[in-house]
Amino acid sequence: MSYKAGFLGLIGQPNAGKSTLMNFLVDEKVSIVSSKPQTTRRRILGIWSTEKGQVIFVDAPGLIKADEGLNGFLAQEAHDVINSSDALLAIIAVDEEKPENAEKVIDLVSKSGKPWIAVITKTDIEEKAHRVMILRKMVEDKGGKAFSVSVKDSKNDQEEREALLIEFMELLPESPAPLYDTELFTNENVREMAAEIVREQCFEALHHEIPYSIAVRIVKFEEDAKPVPKIYAEIVVSKDSHKAIVIGKGASVIKQIGMEARKEIEKLMGEKIFLDLNVASKPEWFSNKRMMKELGYVVDSKD
Ligand SMILES: Nc1nc2c(ncn2[C@@H]2O[C@H](COP(=O)(O)OP(=O)(O)OP(=O)(O)O)[C@@H](O)[C@H]2O)c(=O)[nH]1
């Protein structure tokens, strides 16, 4: 059998389970997960390599409609992933409230002209189990093949994981060699992943709209500091009034964010670290192209 390698884009509505699925398939925590929709911002790659091929998963932000600001960036990212991937996975969750949303994803992917497979996620949610058949039929009506998976139930099922990976690899083009070093499981560096982990913990600790308007920037990353590496991160809020909320009474909220993020970053780095968090207010940063660029959300290559 020839060697296959390429980019496989994960396309779905916000909260469909794309990041969770990618982390499960790559068997590493690559992309952040939260119970709130629209957590994924930048395109994140998860890489799986075997001697037969290399699947590079591209976790795109969920599909949304917007032209400007951060949401405009997210919408553009999702469409760029469709255009630039070699093959696509349509990710549809059994708990998707509106059938037309599932239809839209299947439509978009099937019309892309690229090889594709649908993955029906969250099949462990019993009261929605009947929807698996309905979604499968929707996929088959568009000429596609559907797999169903529950990451909750399959966490320890390596056979199921490998079977899915082999199916997905078949969608990819032949390639003379791997596209990334076969030791890598992501394109993100530790610095970027640390910032994403702090952002994930903000989603955990904060409610309402605040986490959506937060960005996290690593100000200093002293990998060789003694006795442990030191990471200085800044949580950027978009309104002065959010600062006090992120800090919390007696600094309780920021302490919680820091403690949980530190544990996750330590897991990632395999060693103890020191994490320092600061909160800075940059009013309406997401409406300002220069600030968005500074925070890692590149809007336009022309500026
Ligand atoms: N019960 C159940 N929940 C799941 C499963 N997969 C994901 N979830 C939950 O669904 C929520 C959304 O998961 P994510 O992986 O962040 O979804 P996403 O599609 O990447 O979301 P965006 O970043 O908004 O695009 C989280 O609370 C997950 O824990 C599953 O197999 N079963």
Side-chain angles (χ1 to χ4, degrees):
M1 204 178 82
S2 58
Y3 190 87
K4 295 196 158 194
F7 293 87
L8 185 58
L10 275 72
I11 305 301
Q13 296 291 345
N15 234 15
K18 299 178 290 299
S19 302
T20 308
L21 180 71
M22 184 170 88
N23 291 345
F24 164 66
L25 292 169
V26 177
D27 208 16
E28 291 282 352
K29 180 163 175 171
V30 179
S31 198
I32 67 170
V33 170
S34 97
S35 56
K36 303 183 176 77
Q38 278 176 253
T39 327
T40 306
R41 286 194 185 155
R42 284 169 306 123
R43 249 175 270 183
I44 305 222
L45 304 184
I47 306 167
W48 181 73
S49 307
T50 62
E51 70 271 22
K52 295 196 175 109
Q54 185 173 63
V55 186
I56 304 154
F57 293 97
V58 189
D59 184 12
L63 297 171
I64 46 166
K65 263 203 169 139
D67 297 323
E68 285 176 32
L70 184 60
N71 280 344
F73 169 79
L74 297 180
Q76 187 59 43
E77 279 285 282
H79 285 279
D80 283 354
V81 171
I82 297 179
N83 292 332
S84 59
S85 297
D86 296 300
L88 299 170
L89 292 184
I91 312 295
I92 28 184
V94 292
D95 63 348
E96 170 62 64
E97 292 299 331
K98 298 184 189 148
E100 64 267 28
N101 281 347
E103 192 98 44
K104 186 178 152 200
V105 174
I106 299 166
D107 230 37
L108 207 60
V109 165
S110 63
K111 284 185 181 149
S112 69
K114 307 204 168 180
W116 65 283
I117 282 180
V119 182
I120 302 167
T121 57
K122 311 193 194 181
T123 53
D124 54 284
I125 303 177
E126 271 175 35
E127 62 276 21
K128 305 279 180 187
H130 62 285
R131 301 217 63 228
V132 176
M133 293 294 286
I134 302 170
L135 292 171
R136 192 179 287 278
K137 170 108 184 24
M138 264 188 202
V139 172
E140 286 167 359
D141 285 349
K142 298 275 175 188
K145 196 167 163 184
F147 289 90
S148 44
V149 62
S150 152
V151 172
K152 238 185 185 166
D153 290 345
S154 313
K155 248 188 185 132
N156 300 313
D157 193 339
Q158 291 306 319
E159 258 176 48
E160 185 182 354
R161 188 182 144 253
E162 296 239 336
L164 281 173
L165 284 162
I166 287 162
E167 286 282 348
F168 298 160
M169 199 163 74
E170 284 307 311
L171 298 173
L172 298 176
E174 291 186 4
S175 170
L179 303 174
Y180 282 83
D181 186 326
T182 55
E183 299 284 305
L184 289 178
F185 60 85
T186 183
N187 63 325
E188 294 271 282
N189 59 37
V190 178
R191 193 182 171 114
E192 290 162 336
M193 288 173 90
E196 283 291 272
I197 288 171
V198 174
R199 199 164 66 79
E200 178 180 50
Q201 292 309 325
C202 292
F203 268 91
E204 289 297 317
L206 300 161
H207 304 288
H208 307 300
E209 291 305 309
I210 294 179
Y212 293 103
S213 56
I214 276 179
V216 176
R217 192 167 75 93
I218 303 295
V219 182
K220 221 177 347 165
F221 195 115
E222 298 177 348
E223 214 164 350
D224 299 324
K226 297 281 174 260
V228 293
K230 286 186 176 167
I231 303 173
Y232 297 84
E234 188 173 71
I235 298 175
V236 178
V237 294
S238 67
K239 282 195 176 106
D240 289 337
S241 59
H242 287 175
K243 223 172 139 172
I245 301 170
V246 175
I247 294 169
K249 229 186 189 165
S252 59
V253 177
I254 194 150
K255 271 190 197 149
Q256 179 70 16
I257 295 171
M259 193 174 67
E260 296 300 330
R262 182 177 49 75
K263 280 195 242 161
E264 284 291 318
I265 299 170
E266 285 177 346
K267 264 195 236 159
L268 172 74
M269 294 180 61
E271 60 183 328
K272 294 253 172 245
I273 60 140
F274 168 84
L275 176 66
D276 179 78
L277 294 183
N278 255 301
V279 187
S281 160
K282 293 191 198 287
E284 306 294 322
W285 63 264
F286 42 75
S287 309
N288 178 320
K289 278 198 177 184
R290 188 186 51 77
M291 274 196 235
M292 277 184 70
K293 221 170 172 178
E294 242 177 63
L295 292 165
Y297 304 111
V298 183
V299 193
D300 189 342
S301 55
K302 290 193 286 294
D303 53 27

